[in-house]
RNA sequence: GCCGGGAUAGCUCAGUUGGCAGAGCAACGCAUUCGUAAUGCGUAGGUCGUGGGUUCGAUUCCCAUUCCCGGCUCCA
């Protein structure tokens, strides 16, 4: 079944659901019921609050309707006539939609006694809907506008075949198991504390190890590519943010404080800081491009309801860089950022999709510059044979951008790297460089982040790997499992040898049987377990067990070190 | 921020129609010294998220508040 048909099927299912709800709860007012990416929903205005039990009833009723195999009939009528019909039925939301339609004639779809305003198309009969499930209830503003009344939205999904539905439901289960908040607790990675403030992350030793490993990796990769490390304070006087314009268009997200009758801001972004560093001296055209990199921690106030584990927080660290260059250098810079992104993404085995966002209605700078920059972004993508889609008008007001969406092991999509051209800040801060003719010119600025926020990326990584980090990232890389207490000294000796080579090692010294120690190490998703008993002690070896491959047999120290080094090098 | 649901031991959860608070895992102790996913016995652990109210008595009912969960809106 192709996508259009699946959409039709799901949309038809949403009609059936609305019909079921209407039969079960007379007096319900209908909102809208579209097909969405993984299913469909329908919004209802109901005096009583729906419960999970109601969902079961609704699903039953739907099955009944489907069994009766009603025909979906297309009815065309004049708009006024349709408005009258919906007014009679008391469907005020439908009337609202209809009166905003410009067409003279509208279509309605009818199955049995149920009529709904709808563009269609639909499957021929309700009986065509075979594999479906009602999933959940949630509140949703009418037409998505915050000031509108809240409706009850019921989500469901439908597939052509039962196998597809089952697979989807299994996928949902798998996603639940991989939830980074659950794994974060189970693997002792991080916590968020009520008394310290929601949205602020505390990394435990293991989580901090992963974060630190990621950060070191990024630093090295940035240095390799000609970026220079900078570092800026977390607080700056409000004047800086007045110049940058943030106090204007970003103030809802900023933390303010007053000290000695001076207003200060906790930085929500790093760019103004990097700009001050650029401005410390006169820059020659020969010095460009200047590339400043920082693991910059920023603080942004986010509405309480949007916070979500590591994925949406109030304090986070960006792998942020700002490139100051001449317009004629822009293309090369963009291309090398694209290569950089590609390299990093394949390290983590993420597939990705690319979007090019163009000029929005409100914008800073000249149209000529916008067109030039957009053309350069486009050309760079073509140059590297990166397939991309254009998101018209989705650029930031200060310049066009390239957004990269990561696809994880379950096929879910995450916001990833971003590359943004900026004409606005160089002007606001009067950035200049001296051109070869001695004139003062304004450089172009590029904002880019590869991982985006370390917090969000780490959250995505946990789910991508289901908590089983590859060896180079694993907080504990090797667990030594002595068979009995008499092997503790030997385990210590091996551990020291591995530690000296830079590996993160742990010894399970508990008075437990080997089965229990293995189980614990497996649950902690530790890549390598080294079992040591009498045999190993005598022969100066270890028994190697890999968390995925199981028993790998006996190896001597040189062999296991070799294997570990290989895995780290391959980032396997 | 908005709508709805929640908060009980370190973790996962049960429970009280208002009357001394429960299990498994983890921790600790003792025994056991064991070969590839859980050895046995015992000990300790709680202002039942926080603040008010109703009541002879509140973990339970009511109100407020904080935080969490599912969405909406917004976003890295």
């Amino acid at each position: 079944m192709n996508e259009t048909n699946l959409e039709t099927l799901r949309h038809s299912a949403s009609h059936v659901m609305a019909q079921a709800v209407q039969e079960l709860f007379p007096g319900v007012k209908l909102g809208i019921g579209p097909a969405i990416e993984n299913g469909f929903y329908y919004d209802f205005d109901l005096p009583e609050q729906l419960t999970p039990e109601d969902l079961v009833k609704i699903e039953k009723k739907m099955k009944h309707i489907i069994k009766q195999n009603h025909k979906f009939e297309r009815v065309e009528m004049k708009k006024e006539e349709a408005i009258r019909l919906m007014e009679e039925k008391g469907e005020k939301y439908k009337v609202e939609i209809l009166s905003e339609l410009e067409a003279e004639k509208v279509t309605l779809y009818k199955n049995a006694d149920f009529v709904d305003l709808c563009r269609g198309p639909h499957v021929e009969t309700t009986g065509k809907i075979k594999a479906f499930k009602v999933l959940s209830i949630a509140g949703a503003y009418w037409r998505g506008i915050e000031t509108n009344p809240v409706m009850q939205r019921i989500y469901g999904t439908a597939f052509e075949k039962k196998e597809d539905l089952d697979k989807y439901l299994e996928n949902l289960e798998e996603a639940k198991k991989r939830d980074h908040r659950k794994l974060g607790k189970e693997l002792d990675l991080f916590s968020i504390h009520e008394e310290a403030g929601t949205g602020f992350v505390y990394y435990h030793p293991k989580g901090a190890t992963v974060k630190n490993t990621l950060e070191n990796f990024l630093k090295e990769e940035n240095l390799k590519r000609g970026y220079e490390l900078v570092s800026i304070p977390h607080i700056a006087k409000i004047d800086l943010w007045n110049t940058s314009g943030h106090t204007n268009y970003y103030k809802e997200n900023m933390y303010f404080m007053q000290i000695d009758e001076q207003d200060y801001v906790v930085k929500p972004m790093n760019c103004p800081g990097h700009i001050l560093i650029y401005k410390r001296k006169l820059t020659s055209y020969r010095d460009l491009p200047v590339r400043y990199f920082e693991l910059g921690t920023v603080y942004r106030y986010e509405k309480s309801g949007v916070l979500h584990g590591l994925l949406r927080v109030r304090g986070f660290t960006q792998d942020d860089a700002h490139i100051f260059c001449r317009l004629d250098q822009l293309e090369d810079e963009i291309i090398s950022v694209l290569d950089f992104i590609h390299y990093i993404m394949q390290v983590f085995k993420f597939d990705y999709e690319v979007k090019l966002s163009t000029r929005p209605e409100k914008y800073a700078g000249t149209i000529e510059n916008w067109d030039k920059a957009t053309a350069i972004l486009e050309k760079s993508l073509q140059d590297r044979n990166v397939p991309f889609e254009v998101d018209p008008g989705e650029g930031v007001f200060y310049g066009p951008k390239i957004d990269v969406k990561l696809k994880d092991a379950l096929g879910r999509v995450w916001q990833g790297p971003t590359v943004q051209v900026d004409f606005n800040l160089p002007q606001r801060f009067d950035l200049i460089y001296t051109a070869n003719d001695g004139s003062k010119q304004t450089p172009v600025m590029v904002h880019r982040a590869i991982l985006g926020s370390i917090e969000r990326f780490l959250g995505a990584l946990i789910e991508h790997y289901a908590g089983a980090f590859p060896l180079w990232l694993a907080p504990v890389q090797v667990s030594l499992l002595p068979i009995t207490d008499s092997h503790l000294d030997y385990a210590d000796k091996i551990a020291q040898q591995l530690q000296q080579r830079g590996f993160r090692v742990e010894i399970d010294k508990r008075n437990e049987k080997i089965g229990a120690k293995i189980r614990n190490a497996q649950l902690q998703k530790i890549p390598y377990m080294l079992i040591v008993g009498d045999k190993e002690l005598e022969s100066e070896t270890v028994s190697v067990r890999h968390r995925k491959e199981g028993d790998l047999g006996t190896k001597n120290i040189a062999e296991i070190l070799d294997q570990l080094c290989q895995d780290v090098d391959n980032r396997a």
Side-chain angles (χ1 to χ4, degrees), chain A residues 19 71 131 153 164 181 189 232 238 304 436 440 485 491 515 530 532 546 565:
Chain A
Q19 185 181 355
K71 232 178 150 184
R153 175 171 298 178
D164 293 342
R181 292 165 301 181
L189 300 175
I232 61 171
I238 200 167
S304 62
N436 58 355
K440 304 295 183 210
D485 290 355
L530 303 184
V532 291
H546 186 268
C565 291

Side-chain angles (χ1 to χ4, degrees), chain A residues 17-30 44-51 53-55 57-58 61 152 154:
Chain A
M17 185 164 77
Q19 185 181 355
V21 170
Q22 202 172 55
E23 284 179 27
L24 288 166
F25 303 89
V28 62
K29 300 213 174 2
L30 303 178
F44 302 101
D45 184 359
L46 258 176
E48 63 263 60
Q49 177 59 38
L50 290 168
T51 63
E53 292 83 71
D54 291 329
L55 293 190
K57 275 188 231 158
I58 291 165
K61 188 60 115 183
Q152 299 191 58
I154 304 181

Side-chain angles (χ1 to χ4, degrees), chain A residues 215-356:
Chain A
E215 290 180 344
N216 288 340
F217 170 63
L218 285 165
K219 268 188 208 168
E220 278 169 32
E221 294 299 328
N222 275 279
L223 291 175
K224 274 186 204 168
R225 288 169 174 78
Y227 290 82
E228 296 176 281
L229 224 47
V230 293
S231 180
I232 61 171
H234 288 205
I235 296 169
K237 265 165 53 182
I238 200 167
D239 310 46
L240 181 70
W241 307 98
N242 287 336
T243 307
S244 69
H246 285 89
T247 42
N248 236 333
Y249 65 84
Y250 208 69
K251 66 168 177 290
E252 289 75 30
N253 291 325
M254 286 157 53
Y255 288 100
F256 294 93
M257 61 174 92
Q258 207 186 39
I259 293 155
D260 286 348
E261 290 169 35
Q262 281 274 11
D263 289 318
Y264 287 87
V265 172
V266 186
K267 70 174 158 138
M269 293 187 188
N270 302 305
C271 11
H274 292 186
I275 285 173
L276 290 182
I277 296 172
Y278 175 88
K279 278 190 77 160
R280 74 190 184 281
K281 60 174 187 181
L282 259 181
T283 301
S284 151
Y285 72 97
R286 296 176 209 272
D287 300 329
L288 297 177
V290 166
R291 306 183 192 92
Y292 291 150
F293 170 76
E294 176 175 15
L295 290 158
T297 304
V298 295
Y299 296 88
R300 299 180 185 175
Y301 172 78
E302 300 284 353
K303 290 176 178 178
S304 62
V306 306
L307 301 171
H308 184 94
L310 294 179
L311 300 181
R312 191 77 182 271
V313 293
R314 285 177 173 163
F316 57 96
T317 300
Q318 297 177 306
D319 63 328
D320 205 4
H322 295 96
I323 302 168
F324 305 86
C325 66
R326 308 186 305 260
L327 200 54
D328 65 88
Q329 295 171 318
L330 189 57
E331 187 175 337
D332 281 349
E333 288 305 306
I334 301 293
I335 286 175
S336 58
V337 171
L338 289 177
D339 289 347
F340 196 175
I341 289 170
H342 181 76
Y343 173 75
I344 300 291
M345 290 309 115
Q346 57 87 25
V347 164
F348 298 103
K349 300 186 172 61
F350 276 117
D351 284 338
Y352 58 87
E353 287 166 5
V354 177
K355 304 261 180 187
L356 172 64

Side-chain angles (χ1 to χ4, degrees), chain A residues 61-103:
Chain A
K61 188 60 115 183
M62 285 174 73
K63 279 188 183 142
H64 184 70
I65 295 166
I66 287 166
K67 216 174 187 176
Q68 288 175 334
N69 205 16
H70 304 295
K71 232 178 150 184
F72 277 102
E73 285 173 77
R74 186 173 186 275
V75 185
E76 207 177 75
M77 59 176 79
K78 284 211 173 110
K79 191 171 101 176
E80 285 71 30
E81 204 180 330
I83 290 180
R84 232 175 298 126
L85 177 76
M86 287 301 168
E87 267 171 355
E88 267 169 43
K89 288 174 168 283
E91 294 288 4
K92 59 177 180 180
Y93 300 102
K94 297 291 179 192
V95 173
E96 185 182 324
I97 294 175
L98 275 165
S99 32
E100 285 171 24
L101 284 179
E102 299 211 340

